[in-house]
Amino acid sequence: MKISSLWLAALALASSALAAPITESASPVSYKNHQVIRFTVATEQQAAQLRAIVSRHDDGISAWTDIHAGAAADLLVPPTAASKIAGALAAIEHKVLVSDLQANIDAERAHSEQNSHKLTEALKSGALAAPTAATVFSDYQDQATYESFIASLPGVTKQSIGTTYQGRSINAFSFGTGSKRIVFNGGIHAREWISPAVVTYVANYLTGSTSDAVALRSKFTFTVIPVLNPDGYAYTRSTDRLWRKNREPNSGSSCVGTDPNRNFPYKWGGEGASTSKCAEDYRGTAALSTKEAQALTSFIKSLSNVVSYIDFHSYSQLWMYPWGYDCNARLPEPELTDLKTGGSKAVAALEAVNGVSFTNGQSCLVTYPAAGATDDWTYSIGVKYTYSVELRDTGDNGFTLPASQIVPSGKEVVAAVVALWQYVATKV
């Protein structure tokens, strides 16, 4: 079969998965004159002040990072809420990272209209049979384009591992011949667009002909899930660029969505997972109440010999291992040393590419408590080399990272995962 027909078949497969989802019609949410403000939180009193502001959920103020003493906290503040935050501005050291978030979104949209939107239409119409990797990574693509590209790569097989509330397929793509399994995913949080792009970039490299890729495929069988939260991701592309959760309604509330990354069963309901249905980190009604968490847990449990798992997020430039549910909990030895070593090798290789620095450490200690997350669950069932990664940047752009950073980020993450999984290969 020719490459062009392979691509068209792959596109048809990916498009069929999205043939009849629920579509939401609404005008795009505007973030005109919304600011992203970074507070330097020095005391627990200051942290409590900011948490109280965010917890109201009725004035549009939201936290882009966790709020705790001794760290920076990034808050999204609409112009209508200026009076609500005046006290914090007066009392806490701060700086404006983004003065008009809509300007970032408009620039992103203008780029997409000349790139990803045209690519999607060309593929749907048949005007373009097989775009190059350079075309795919020139912009943030929709789910169908990423998945059809991955499906067209050599040696890749596709399977649906679940269906979302709105009827979209959660798809996994596997390749390699090794007896040990590695799973990695992006897009569990909808607004973190760099994540699906980077995991697709990694898949493209690992299916290639370099000696590193060939050797890793002989040792491992890889599975990539590029978009673990398809409904949320589609909603960020159509309506609300900053949406985080899934799109399943909550009974008894006008607030929509659950955070899938607070819905996994290990230590579900603990610190860092909200009981408020309006909160961005809402944990759900019970562990595994979301289709996304059900799909990932069922899939991983169906596999044998899973030795590594990575959940890719943004932003903050962190390479983290468990535990996340409790900052006083520690992994046993030698697991702790082994995971630290693997993370250290990853961040050293990453930094060598572009000079970008990542922090390696226990997730709860380098960020904040987050009970019910993917990485704690995978480690708890015996997947030793489990990590959660926060990609670029450190807040200058945050979730609206320019598409020009896809390829540099992809290259450095490829170096990181190759170094990590070469190390894992010596340990399993």
Side-chain angles (χ1 to χ4, degrees):
M1 188 179 289
K2 295 180 180 178
I3 292 177
S4 59
S5 56
L6 271 171
W7 175 266
L8 290 172
L11 180 63
L13 280 170
S15 298
S16 67
L18 302 176
I22 295 173
T23 56
E24 300 182 85
S25 57
S27 299
V29 174
S30 174
Y31 288 92
K32 180 69 174 175
N33 294 326
H34 284 55
Q35 294 185 329
V36 180
I37 302 175
R38 171 163 291 174
F39 291 88
T40 302
V41 185
T43 67
E44 181 53 39
Q45 182 180 8
Q46 291 178 342
Q49 182 181 5
L50 293 178
R51 288 191 206 105
I53 292 170
V54 171
S55 67
R56 287 194 291 260
H57 305 303
D58 60 356
D59 50 21
I61 299 173
S62 62
W64 276 19
T65 61
D66 190 59
I67 302 168
H68 59 278
D74 297 349
L75 268 61
L76 175 63
V77 182
T80 55
S83 62
K84 305 285 183 66
I85 205 165
L89 292 173
I92 306 172
E93 181 182 347
H94 64 277
K95 66 177 180 179
V96 176
L97 295 179
V98 179
S99 59
D100 181 2
L101 183 58
Q102 189 61 42
N104 288 19
I105 295 171
D106 288 345
E108 185 179 71
R109 184 175 294 130
H111 182 81
S112 292
E113 287 173 355
Q114 297 301 315
N115 293 275
S116 70
H117 292 178
K118 288 186 175 181
L119 175 58
T120 297
E121 291 306 313
L123 293 171
K124 286 180 177 178
S125 68
L128 181 65
T132 64
T135 305
V136 171
F137 300 121
S138 69
D139 198 5
Y140 295 112
Q141 309 296 340
D142 62 17
Q143 180 187 358
T145 300
Y146 283 135
E147 293 188 348
S148 55
F149 175 73
I150 295 172
S152 74
L153 297 172
V156 171
T157 60
K158 172 189 173 182
Q159 70 180 106
S160 175
I161 63 171
T163 303
T164 67
Y165 171 79
Q166 293 185 339
R168 293 179 175 84
S169 182
I170 302 170
N171 296 316
F173 301 83
S174 299
F175 50 90
T177 58
S179 60
K180 308 296 184 181
R181 302 292 298 247
I182 290 175
V183 178
F184 60 105
N185 66 259
I188 194 171
H189 287 150
R191 63 193 177 190
E192 298 167 6
W193 282 12
I194 189 63
S195 165
V198 163
V199 300
T200 302
Y201 194 98
V202 170
N204 182 54
Y205 179 86
L206 291 174
T207 55
S209 59
T210 66
S211 58
D212 287 341
V214 172
L216 286 171
R217 290 199 309 272
S218 69
K219 178 71 175 183
F220 302 112
T221 295
F222 295 92
T223 298
V224 57
I225 306 164
V227 182
L228 189 54
N229 177 9
D231 292 349
Y233 187 65
Y235 190 67
T236 64
R237 293 183 67 82
S238 68
T239 307
D240 186 350
R241 175 63 181 85
L242 277 304
W243 189 258
R244 168 183 165 109
K245 301 186 286 184
N246 69 12
R247 291 297 299 163
E248 185 168 357
N250 291 308
S251 177
S253 174
S254 61
C255 295
V256 174
T258 296
D259 182 348
N261 203 38
R262 298 296 184 272
N263 194 238
F264 286 78
Y266 189 74
K267 303 296 183 180
W268 175 85
E271 191 175 356
S274 179
T275 60
S276 171
K277 296 173 181 179
C278 297
E280 292 193 325
D281 58 354
Y282 173 52
R283 69 191 190 186
T285 55
L288 300 180
S289 62
T290 65
K291 303 294 187 183
E292 297 80 14
Q294 292 169 20
L296 186 64
T297 55
S298 296
F299 175 68
I300 291 180
K301 287 166 70 175
S302 75
L303 303 176
S304 300
N305 299 320
V306 182
V307 297
S308 184
Y309 167 79
I310 304 179
D311 185 6
F312 285 95
H313 293 259
S314 74
Y315 60 94
S316 286
Q317 296 175 196
L318 305 171
W319 201 282
M320 301 174 290
Y321 50 82
W323 298 108
Y325 76 92
D326 184 348
C327 294
N328 293 314
R330 296 290 183 273
L331 298 179
E333 292 290 2
E335 283 83 356
L336 177 58
T337 295
D338 290 345
L339 266 75
K340 278 184 178 179
T341 301
S344 294
K345 289 180 179 295
V347 299
L350 186 152
E351 186 171 357
V353 176
N354 296 310
V356 175
S357 178
F358 276 52
T359 298
N360 172 45
Q362 181 180 334
S363 58
C364 189
L365 297 179
V366 299
T367 55
Y368 49 85
T374 56
D375 51 346
D376 279 6
W377 176 78
T378 50
Y379 182 83
S380 77
I381 64 165
V383 181
K384 177 176 175 179
Y385 292 95
T386 284
Y387 297 90
S388 179
V389 175
E390 297 281 356
L391 298 168
R392 294 186 180 195
D393 55 10
T394 56
D396 289 342
N397 296 285
F399 301 120
T400 56
L401 191 73
S404 59
Q405 295 199 38
I406 294 172
V407 171
S409 187
K411 288 180 177 178
E412 65 200 19
V413 172
V414 162
V417 296
V418 167
L420 169 64
W421 290 331
Q422 286 176 337
Y423 168 71
V424 173
T426 70
K427 305 289 286 186
V428 298

